[in-house]
Amino acid sequence: SDYIVRATAAKEETENKGLVTGTLRRKDGQIIPIFLSSNLLEQYIVITDYCKDLDVKFENEIIHVHIKEAQRHFTKNNVINMDFIEI
């Protein structure tokens, strides 16, 4: 994959402006709640139409992932949640 999306650990005190919530399921079964930039995610979707795996930069690690599920807002049509599986 040649597209990197940066993810940060989700924290309750983090403002959710311009961010998409999601989860990252690691190979060891660990599920990590994350936030992603909505702008970068929307660009990725326009370029690939969800059909390409991608690299997610989480903390100091690049993780190759597949999109498990994407949820869009029913009236605004923007992505509001994205779940990934490490491959």
Side-chain angles (χ1 to χ4, degrees):
S1 162
D2 56 356
Y3 203 90
I4 296 177
V5 175
R6 293 178 184 257
T8 57
K11 296 181 180 169
E12 289 182 27
E13 68 271 9
T14 303
E15 291 278 328
N16 195 13
K17 294 182 180 177
L19 298 175
V20 173
T21 60
T23 59
L24 173 59
R25 181 181 293 269
R26 301 299 306 259
K27 287 181 181 178
D28 64 5
Q30 181 183 14
I31 299 173
I32 303 168
I34 58 174
F35 286 124
L36 303 118
S37 165
S38 61
N39 290 337
L40 287 176
L41 206 50
E42 292 288 350
Q43 288 174 22
Y44 165 80
I45 291 165
V46 167
I47 292 167
T48 66
D49 195 29
Y50 299 101
C51 296
K52 188 175 180 186
D53 297 333
L54 70 151
D55 292 327
V56 171
K57 183 172 185 179
F58 180 72
E59 296 177 348
N60 293 324
E61 183 180 4
I62 303 290
I63 304 167
H64 194 63
V65 299
H66 177 76
I67 296 172
K68 176 184 176 191
E69 183 178 16
Q71 295 173 321
R72 289 189 168 274
H73 190 280
F74 71 98
T75 58
K76 297 179 182 178
N77 201 35
N78 59 317
V79 175
I80 57 173
N81 188 73
M82 183 78 71
D83 297 325
F84 300 97
I85 300 174
E86 181 179 13
I87 53 176

